[in-house]
């Protein structure tokens, strides 16, 4: 969704975004994988200010049923759990996973990702579109991970995706926003929120995505694999806010040559 | 020697890919309790169909049934 850069935003808290009828203040969504332990994960979440976390659906360990669970550390009544289909390579597996997620959590807002191959973790768009159609028929509200292709994004939106989530770079790569042109084209063409999902490595990458007009960002590895994940979570919070504000403020035009900031008249 | 009329006849199931036995006539709720899980924190698929949490006590298990019991874990 594009916002007009001229809209006046008095305070940061006035600036909210809405997906499938649910309104959030934080534009940062964080993953819950790869952390040292649940306590570090919970502390990083707190520092990030995120209101949504992605979670995976996996078999319980039948031989150790009393092992600590994510829900013991991150309260699903306070933080929105966004079940993700990470690890699914077919539409069928992804839909099956999300049916179980809905039963486990009781909500319909889900994140769909159908992967094409293990090496790049690039999405399989044919399977992704098929899964989106099935999920929408079954009453789910899928936020959909996709390639940074404005046409594919449009097709997902037409199929009923409640948010478009193009990759900035391959999952877990930390390479940053590789194609600003296509991300911007997706933002301009979409009538649902656009969130960069995957590829962010450090704070400036998050700011760039927000400056392009994205509604939000989803990241996991950039925080979890930082030397100090809690400090990086805080950095990401600031970067998302800064990038968003810069987008709303409307950046200056680019010039090919210098333009002095001090007056030229009255020089001694 | 008649040993086949023991009161607790057992049936074989596959739970999360592993063989398991349970008393004949047990429900999914019985299985979840026997494993030691909180039914509020898991979801169950019974022979490839979702078993709604509200009906776990009503669904009887049969010999050869396949169950998947899942929960939320950390992920990206």
């Amino acid at each position: 969704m594009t916002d007009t850069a001229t809209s006046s935003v008095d305070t940061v808290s006035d600036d909210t975004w809405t997906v499938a009828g649910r309104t959030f203040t934080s534009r940062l969504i964080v993953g819950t994988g790869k952390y040292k332990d649940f306590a570090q994960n919970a502390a990083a979440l707190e520092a990030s200010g995120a209101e949504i976390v992605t979670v995976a659906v996996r078999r319980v360990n039948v031989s150790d049923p009393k092992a600590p669970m994510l829900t013991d550390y991150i309260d699903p009544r306070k933080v929105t759990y966004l079940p993700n289909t990470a690890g699914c390579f077919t539409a069928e597996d992804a839909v099956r996973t999300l049916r179980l997620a809905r039963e486990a959590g009781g909500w319909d807002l889900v994140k769909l990702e159908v992967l094409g191959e293990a090496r790049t973790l690039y999405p399989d768009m044919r399977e992704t579109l098929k899964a989106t159609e099935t999920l929408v028929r079954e009453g789910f509200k899928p936020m959909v991970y996709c390639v940074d292709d404005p046409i594919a994004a449009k097709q997902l939106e037409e199929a009923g995706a409640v948010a478009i989530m193009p990759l900035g770079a391959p999952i877990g790569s930390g390479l940053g926003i590789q194609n600003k042109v296509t991300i911007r084209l997706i933002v301009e063409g979409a009538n649902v929120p656009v969130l960069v999902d995957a590829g962010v490595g450090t704070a400036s990458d998050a700011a760039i995505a927000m400056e392009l007009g994205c509604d939000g960002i989803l990241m996991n590895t950039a925080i979890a694999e930082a030397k100090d994940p809690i400090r990086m979570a805080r950095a990401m919070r600031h970067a998302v806010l800064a990038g968003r504000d810069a987008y709303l403020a409307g950046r200056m035009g680019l010039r090919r040559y210098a333009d002095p900031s001090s007056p030229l008249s009255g020089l001694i | 020697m008649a040993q086949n009329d023991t009161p607790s006849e057992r049936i074989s199931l596959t739970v999360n890919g592993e063989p398991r036995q349970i008393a004949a006539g047990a429900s999914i709720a019985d299985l979840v309790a026997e494993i030691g899980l909180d039914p509020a924190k898991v979801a169950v698929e019974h022979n490839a169909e979702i078993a709604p949490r509200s009906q776990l006590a009503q669904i009887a298990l049969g010999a050869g049934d396949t169950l998947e019991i899942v929960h939320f874990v950390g992920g990206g």
Side-chain angles (χ1 to χ4, degrees), chain A residues 31-33 54-60 62 65-66 69-70 72 81 84 96 99-101 103-105 107 220, chain B residues 15-17 20 35-37 40-45 50-54 68-76:
Chain A
T32 54
T54 55
V55 295
V57 177
R58 293 289 183 272
R59 286 171 166 173
V60 298
V62 172
K66 297 299 175 203
M69 287 188 178
L70 184 69
D72 299 331
Y81 270 42
N84 188 6
R96 184 182 175 205
R99 285 179 187 141
L100 277 164
E103 188 55 30
W107 44 75
N220 187 350
Chain B
V15 180
N16 287 0
R20 191 180 182 96
I35 295 170
L37 296 166
K41 289 182 178 172
V42 300
V44 182
E45 190 189 74
I50 295 287
R53 187 174 290 145
S54 58
E68 293 288 343
I69 307 177
V70 302
H71 65 156
F72 291 130
V73 302

Side-chain angles (χ1 to χ4, degrees), chain A residues 56 65 74 76 87 91 95 97 123 145 151-152 199 248 256:
Chain A
I74 297 172
V95 170
T97 298
Y145 169 65
I151 307 305
L248 292 176
R256 292 174 68 83

